[in-house]
Amino acid sequence: MACAAPPSPLPAHRSATAARVVFAVGPHPPGFYRRFKPSTGGAPRSSLRVVASGFKADPVEERPPVAPLADVPFSADASSPVEPQPQVSTGTWKWKGYNIRYQYAGTSGPALVLIHGFGANSDHWRKNIPVLAMAHRVYALDLIGYGYSDKPNPREIEENFYTFETWGEQLNTFCAEVVQSEAFFICNSIGGVVGLQAAVMEPKKCKGIVLLDISLRMLHIKKQPWFGKPFIRSFQSLLRNTIVGKLFFNAVATPESVKNILCQCYHDTSAVTDELVQIILQPGLDPGAVDVFLEFICYSGGPLPEELLPLVKVRMILVHGEKDPWEPVELGRAYSSFDTVEDFIVLPDVGHCPQDEAPELVNPLVESFVKRHT
């Protein structure tokens, strides 16, 4: 099934073994290239770093061949054994009486908690968990209301349940009861606001944050013109309280619609596979999913990232897909001016979900950031 309206021509295939190169705009002239080295936070705040793939690696010193080991998988060039990736397991955690689904892998090293975006779930990190778990304890949870976690009806529980404060509390309690240590938060889209909110609520739970295409919350009520606010509230009431909302949900909760939406936010539409469509769609067909969906798209209050960032005390990096159509890269770059943001990294030819579209770029950035702050 092809995407209805794919973006402009696809980028060249990204090889997982391709060299990663960074160039900086500002103090360096155009065309100045250097091999990627993790930032130590000393780079000028205004610099724009771009991580690219597809370049040839520099020549390396020749070494004598190593005799192969029996029954050990080897890399493509047969020069070194490939360490098998840890197995990913699934667990269920009880929180406030609700079942919360999470995945985990790895037995040693710093703890990482991966937080998904709107409409997604922990399966969106399937290309990251086993890789990162080779040197870390990795956890990915389904926020309440999403994925295979329970979806309590917002009309039957306390008012304003599906908020960033609720999810921030869920994340901190998860760290206390399941992870049982402080952790690095690795976040995508609205998951970034969840991570920031949790770090503000309980600073000792968080070691550092990687924000992947953080939601800028452009539909927040504070970002709307005064004359538009009454219309927004009326539209939200229409969705919540009439059949219009359910009809809208039914129109988007189909394989065709989900694929078309993903093709908008992924620059490389070849990454929008049938598997990915089912990962996003299937939990959305659960009972209660429609009410959570409508509750969140009508949630135009709560914290803004620019309100939370100055309150966070740990170090952060912002990673942004250059071709993100929903969160424009130049607007995201404005967040790099906050003191605790040590780097703003642009991924060329990548859209809104870089952890899934370009894991070969994202995983090394996460690993280097964690290593610097451990």
Side-chain angles (χ1 to χ4, degrees):
M1 178 168 54
C3 299
S8 59
L10 299 180
H13 174 69
R14 299 183 185 90
S15 168
T17 58
R20 292 156 183 98
V21 177
V22 175
F23 71 88
V25 176
H28 300 294
F32 178 87
Y33 290 90
R34 58 184 173 85
R35 178 172 298 282
F36 170 61
K37 294 182 180 179
S39 166
T40 58
R45 192 73 66 187
S46 61
S47 67
L48 174 63
R49 305 199 314 127
V50 181
V51 178
S53 63
F55 296 95
K56 287 187 177 180
D58 292 339
V60 296
E61 178 185 355
E62 289 190 9
R63 297 176 182 175
V66 179
L69 302 175
D71 301 323
V72 177
F74 275 75
S75 59
D77 62 3
S79 62
S80 60
V82 175
E83 184 180 349
Q85 294 179 349
Q87 181 178 354
V88 179
S89 302
T90 299
T92 301
W93 166 58
K94 278 282 187 183
W95 180 64
K96 294 189 172 185
Y98 300 113
N99 290 319
I100 304 298
R101 178 248 202 166
Y102 68 96
Q103 300 183 58
Y104 60 98
T107 58
S108 62
L112 315 182
V113 180
L114 316 183
I115 305 139
H116 63 78
F118 173 63
N121 58 79
S122 57
D123 289 333
H124 211 188
W125 300 97
R126 69 199 183 285
K127 299 176 184 177
N128 316 101
I129 298 172
V131 176
L132 297 174
M134 296 180 73
H136 310 86
R137 293 178 294 125
V138 182
Y139 302 82
L141 79 163
D142 292 359
L143 297 173
I144 191 164
Y146 292 104
Y148 296 97
S149 290
D150 283 349
K151 302 171 180 65
N153 191 324
R155 297 175 183 272
E156 298 174 359
I157 53 179
E158 60 189 270
E159 188 177 359
N160 298 325
F161 180 75
Y162 290 105
T163 66
F164 290 110
E165 289 80 5
T166 297
W167 291 315
E169 180 186 354
Q170 178 189 358
L171 175 54
N172 283 330
T173 310
F174 181 80
C175 288
E177 296 183 0
V178 179
V179 181
Q180 297 185 348
S181 72
E182 58 187 1
F184 290 88
F185 298 162
I186 317 301
C187 320
N188 176 229
S189 191
I190 68 159
V193 185
V194 174
L196 293 177
Q197 180 67 53
V200 169
M201 293 169 70
E202 293 193 47
K204 293 183 179 179
K205 292 285 195 303
C206 181
K207 284 274 290 180
I209 306 176
V210 176
L211 298 170
L212 305 170
D213 289 70
I214 184 173
S215 170
L216 307 176
R217 303 209 66 199
M218 300 303 294
L219 299 179
H220 194 285
I221 197 70
K222 292 181 180 178
K223 295 187 176 182
Q224 308 311 311
W226 66 268
F227 54 83
K229 293 179 181 180
F231 297 101
I232 292 172
R233 294 190 180 97
S234 297
F235 180 66
Q236 291 172 340
S237 177
L238 182 71
L239 290 177
R240 272 199 187 109
N241 302 317
T242 72
I243 192 64
V244 172
K246 287 184 169 59
L247 291 174
F248 174 62
F249 178 81
N250 290 337
V252 300
T254 68
E256 294 79 11
S257 294
V258 170
K259 187 152 194 171
N260 286 337
I261 292 168
L262 290 170
C263 284
Q264 292 174 24
C265 69
Y266 279 59
H267 182 66
D268 180 359
T269 56
S270 69
V272 181
T273 61
D274 291 339
E275 177 196 29
L276 175 62
V277 170
Q278 287 304 310
I279 282 172
I280 301 300
L281 175 62
Q282 201 60 45
L285 302 179
D286 288 351
V290 57
D291 297 301
V292 177
F293 172 82
L294 294 174
E295 188 72 10
F296 186 77
I297 65 173
C298 293
Y299 177 42
S300 56
L304 289 165
E306 54 264 38
E307 295 170 342
L308 295 172
L309 280 163
L311 304 177
V312 176
K313 305 304 180 186
V314 296
R315 303 298 288 175
M316 294 175 272
I317 59 170
L318 274 64
V319 180
H320 215 97
E322 177 194 28
K323 303 295 186 180
D324 188 335
W326 295 346
E327 316 293 348
V329 65
E330 284 307 315
L331 294 181
R333 187 184 182 190
Y335 291 163
S336 64
S337 62
F338 290 96
D339 290 341
T340 53
V341 176
E342 68 179 34
D343 219 343
F344 183 82
I345 301 167
V346 176
L347 304 181
D349 296 326
V350 176
H352 184 64
C353 305
Q355 79 279 10
D356 187 60
E357 186 178 345
E360 74 280 3
L361 300 181
V362 169
N363 290 335
L365 289 172
V366 172
E367 291 167 341
S368 63
F369 174 77
V370 172
K371 185 175 182 179
R372 291 198 302 275
H373 297 287
T374 299

